[in-house]
Amino acid sequence: MNICLVEDEISIAKLLIYDLKNAGYNVVHYANGMDAKFGINTQAFDVFIVDWMIPQLSGLELVKIIRHFKSDAIIMMLTAKDDESDVLEAFEAGVDDYIRKPFSPRELLARVNAHLRKHQNNDLKTISYMDVECNLLTREMFVKHVAVSCTKKEFDLMAYLLSNVNIVLTRDDILNELWNFDYDGDTRIVDVHIFKLRNKLEFSSLSIESKRGVGYVLQAKK
């Protein structure tokens, strides 16, 4: 997946480039609006992350250009602007998401993954990484090409983890994704499902690791 990052604050850009590349994305960075305007047609981009306040051409104007020529692209706006009128103006210009500064790079990564997952769901038939695969049509899970029995929630959790490889997901992330935002039950339900999936991954090259005080991450076994 190719991501176009338009951000003039170098410290923020370096941090995002590092995190996005570490998550497996190809990133092209532009530090001003005009360079981005002429550069966005040099290759196909799946996601545009655009800061509003950039030199030479505002992020809002750039968003309008991107949306006009790349109607199906995912566009995310980064900005310190937080007035309701600013948010509405950004969405009217064509953004898919609006992230206020200061922000969490981990949250931005999660949002990028969520948008791409929704964007691809119509065509996507499987989600896989290394030797684990989830067939979204038959709702079957495979480890080393062998079908593994799992419940609906276990399958949904495995698919969610596969969509966020190497990204730490909090219990709240998982609860919101699988049980919706209005879930008010015991959060240990996440731990129970993680435990069951770990058993199913016993012979896999992947493992679900705990990040103390944070959450869980699916990654290659060390």
Side-chain angles (χ1 to χ4, degrees):
M1 289 294 175
N2 297 313
I3 294 180
C4 177
L5 173 64
V6 188
E7 171 60 69
D8 64 318
E9 294 187 50
I10 300 303
S11 59
I12 293 177
K14 285 182 176 179
L15 178 62
L16 290 178
I17 291 169
Y18 176 83
D19 286 344
L20 290 167
K21 286 188 174 181
N22 203 39
Y25 294 111
N26 299 314
V27 184
V28 176
H29 171 237
Y30 297 101
N32 65 73
M34 289 304 294
D35 284 349
K37 177 184 177 181
F38 293 110
I40 57 177
N41 292 317
T42 60
Q43 70 181 92
F45 291 105
D46 303 287
V47 180
F48 292 85
I49 301 173
V50 182
D51 183 23
W52 190 319
M53 305 298 290
I54 50 176
Q56 301 185 23
L57 182 70
S58 78
L60 193 69
E61 291 303 314
L62 183 60
V63 164
K64 293 176 181 178
I65 294 170
I66 295 170
R67 184 56 73 207
H68 178 74
F69 290 103
K70 300 177 181 294
S71 59
D72 61 343
I74 297 167
I75 307 176
M76 304 173 70
M77 178 71 84
L78 288 178
T79 180
K81 291 173 170 282
D82 59 1
D83 289 343
E84 182 180 357
S85 59
D86 295 323
V87 177
L88 293 175
E89 189 175 10
F91 278 106
E92 287 173 1
V95 303
D96 298 290
D97 207 344
Y98 190 98
I99 303 175
R100 295 173 175 84
K101 293 181 177 180
F103 60 90
S104 160
R106 189 181 63 80
E107 179 187 353
L108 185 142
L109 265 177
R111 290 195 186 197
V112 168
N113 285 330
H115 281 292
L116 285 171
R117 189 166 61 251
K118 291 176 182 177
H119 196 65
Q120 296 168 345
N121 268 351
N122 290 336
D123 298 321
L124 194 63
K125 297 179 181 179
T126 63
I127 301 177
S128 62
Y129 186 70
M130 296 181 71
D131 56 10
V132 179
E133 176 184 308
C134 283
N135 187 310
L136 301 181
L137 296 179
T138 63
R139 296 188 62 81
E140 291 178 293
M141 174 180 164
F142 298 88
V143 175
K144 295 185 181 295
H145 305 293
V146 177
V148 176
S149 175
C150 59
T151 65
K152 178 183 182 301
K153 286 299 185 186
E154 289 168 359
F155 178 88
D156 291 341
L157 177 55
M158 192 69 248
Y160 184 45
L161 291 168
L162 284 172
S163 299
N164 293 277
V165 173
N166 295 321
I167 295 176
V168 179
L169 301 171
T170 67
R171 287 178 178 83
D172 284 342
D173 291 332
I174 296 171
L175 284 171
N176 293 338
E177 178 71 17
L178 272 68
W179 282 273
N180 300 319
F181 288 88
D182 56 358
Y183 178 80
D184 58 0
D186 192 337
T187 59
R188 286 177 297 180
I189 192 172
V190 172
D191 303 328
V192 171
H193 283 76
I194 290 290
F195 175 78
K196 291 180 178 178
L197 280 182
R198 280 174 169 163
N199 289 334
K200 299 176 191 299
L201 295 176
E202 180 181 1
F203 301 108
S204 169
S205 300
L206 293 175
S207 65
I208 304 172
E209 299 297 325
S210 299
K211 296 298 180 180
R212 188 176 180 85
V214 183
Y216 298 101
V217 58
L218 181 69
Q219 60 187 32
K221 288 180 179 176
K222 295 179 181 179

